Amino acid sequence: MAVRNETRVTEFILLGLSSNPDLQLPFFIFFLLMYLLTITGNQLIVVTIYVDSQLHTPMYFFLSNLSFIDLSFSTVTVPQSLANFLSQSKTISFRNCVAQVFFLHLLGGTECFHLTLMAYDRYVAICNPLRYTTIMNRRVCILMVISTWVGGLIHSFAQTLPTIQLPFCGPNEINHFFCDTHPLSLLACSSTFFSETADIFNSGSLALVSFLVLITSYTYIISAILKMNSNEGRRKAFSTCASHLMVVALTFGPSAFIYLRPSATIPGEKLLSVFYTIVTPWLNPFIYTLRNEKVKKAMRKLVGRKCTFHAMHTN
């Protein structure tokens, strides 16, 4: 309540990607198409893995959870942006702005932990294949996924709380297309040293832990792959790991550049934000499905079932 009383600003204005009115419609079309493709692609992966019993393995269980996180992550920012592209006011209430920050970091932190978990899964599968089903049993997989959400929740609270305790007295124009800790801190009426330090420390800790686990896992994985006698086995292992590493690079690269830096605004910040909030969640389904024959086969089977079902009911 004390924070609420100190906060004079009750709503913010999101300035968006550009103030040029001629660009609002093209931006709207681009965001809408990307969002629809993201939702469709990720939902298709979730449904395919759920329906096909051959994909009920830890790797695909984690992949379906990643797809759910991606479609949720896009939903945090894109619908508000779409509305603002066609609106004159472009306002967002203080409460909704805080909620956007909270869910943005909840899902972003969860995804980082989840990608780290997927690296560990590949490590067990390649380095301990005979014990894989024992180590990565269903109970363990569920607990590990829950732990990524708990980690994301802790990360989100650590990012959001220092920011919302800042007094906002005006101006209330956020030079961005969504609410985030850095654009908000630029509007604070008092020193932001504590919130910025907490922001960098929290993001740095998450990045460091994830990076160490990823590096350790892939050091063992690559060593094990190189020792394989079968060329086909090496090819399949490298293909699976390459898909995961591409997603890791697309997720961690822009995010680290945005959050692990001083508070000064940098050129291209909005473009990087578009990349990791919109483009990356759209690309992830393509990266995994285009390089995975099992998923493509299961999707074709699912589409075939749907067509047969419609044909039977039409006739």
Side-chain angles (χ1 to χ4, degrees):
M1 288 300 294
V3 174
R4 184 70 179 174
N5 292 334
E6 290 175 6
T7 304
R8 299 178 187 176
V9 172
T10 58
E11 65 178 17
F12 294 101
I13 300 172
L14 294 168
L15 298 182
L17 291 173
S18 173
S19 58
N20 188 340
D22 296 332
L23 294 177
Q24 302 308 304
L25 184 58
F27 282 147
F28 174 82
I29 295 172
F30 171 75
F31 272 54
L32 180 61
L33 287 175
M34 294 294 287
Y35 183 59
L36 291 176
L37 289 170
T38 299
I39 296 299
T40 303
N42 283 292
Q43 280 186 339
L44 184 59
I45 286 182
V46 172
V47 173
T48 300
I49 292 173
Y50 178 78
V51 171
D52 197 309
S53 59
Q54 292 185 347
L55 300 180
H56 291 178
T57 63
M59 183 179 81
Y60 297 108
F61 173 66
F62 295 141
L63 177 56
S64 66
N65 278 279
L66 179 65
S67 292
F68 174 76
I69 294 169
D70 278 334
L71 67 89
S72 302
F73 190 66
S74 289
T75 303
V76 172
T77 58
V78 177
Q80 178 72 48
S81 299
L82 290 172
N84 288 344
F85 287 136
L86 301 180
S87 172
Q88 293 294 327
S89 61
K90 304 182 188 302
T91 59
I92 182 171
S93 68
F94 180 84
R95 183 174 297 178
N96 288 343
C97 187
V98 171
Q100 195 172 61
V101 173
F102 177 81
F103 285 106
L104 181 77
H105 287 280
L106 168 63
L107 293 163
T110 301
E111 178 155 357
C112 290
F113 287 123
H114 200 78
L115 289 172
T116 306
L117 171 61
M118 292 175 74
Y120 175 75
D121 172 68
R122 291 300 83 207
Y123 158 74
V124 177
I126 293 172
C127 298
N128 295 282
L130 299 179
R131 299 180 56 209
Y132 178 65
T133 55
T134 303
I135 297 173
M136 302 298 291
N137 59 66
R138 183 170 180 77
R139 180 174 176 273
V140 169
C141 290
I142 292 173
L143 288 174
M144 293 176 82
V145 168
I146 291 173
S147 71
T148 64
W149 283 94
V150 172
L153 188 65
I154 294 171
H155 167 74
S156 183
F157 274 118
Q159 292 287 96
T160 308
L161 289 178
T163 302
I164 64 174
Q165 291 178 26
L166 295 171
F168 297 100
C169 315
N172 66 338
E173 293 183 340
I174 298 176
N175 188 23
H176 218 304
F177 63 95
F178 61 87
C179 292
D180 202 356
T181 52
H182 175 246
L184 275 174
S185 66
L186 295 177
L187 302 180
C189 303
S190 64
S191 173
T192 59
F193 176 78
F194 173 74
S195 62
E196 290 172 3
T197 303
D199 194 351
I200 294 174
F201 176 79
N202 184 40
S203 299
S205 299
L206 186 152
L208 179 61
V209 170
S210 300
F211 180 75
L212 290 176
V213 174
L214 286 165
I215 288 295
T216 303
S217 298
Y218 274 100
T219 299
Y220 284 104
I221 287 171
I222 293 171
S223 176
I225 292 174
L226 293 176
K227 292 177 183 177
M228 290 180 178
N229 296 323
S230 168
N231 290 330
E232 181 65 17
R234 282 199 297 269
R235 187 191 67 79
K236 287 184 177 179
F238 270 124
S239 178
T240 303
C241 294
S243 299
H244 183 252
L245 284 173
M246 286 174 66
V247 174
V248 167
L250 289 171
T251 302
F252 279 86
S255 300
F257 195 75
I258 290 291
Y259 295 107
L260 300 180
R261 54 150 173 91
S263 60
T265 302
I266 56 173
E269 180 177 342
K270 292 182 184 180
L271 183 61
L272 279 174
S273 298
V274 169
F275 193 83
Y276 80 82
T277 58
I278 299 172
V279 178
T280 299
W282 164 71
L283 279 175
N284 286 354
F286 290 98
I287 292 172
Y288 279 109
T289 55
L290 291 177
R291 302 177 64 90
N292 193 306
E293 289 299 326
K294 272 191 174 183
V295 176
K296 286 192 289 186
K297 184 178 178 181
M299 283 183 175
R300 286 194 292 266
K301 189 190 299 183
L302 179 66
V303 172
R305 285 180 186 175
K306 188 174 181 181
C307 292
T308 303
F309 177 81
H310 280 297
M312 289 175 60
H313 281 72
T314 301
N315 296 331

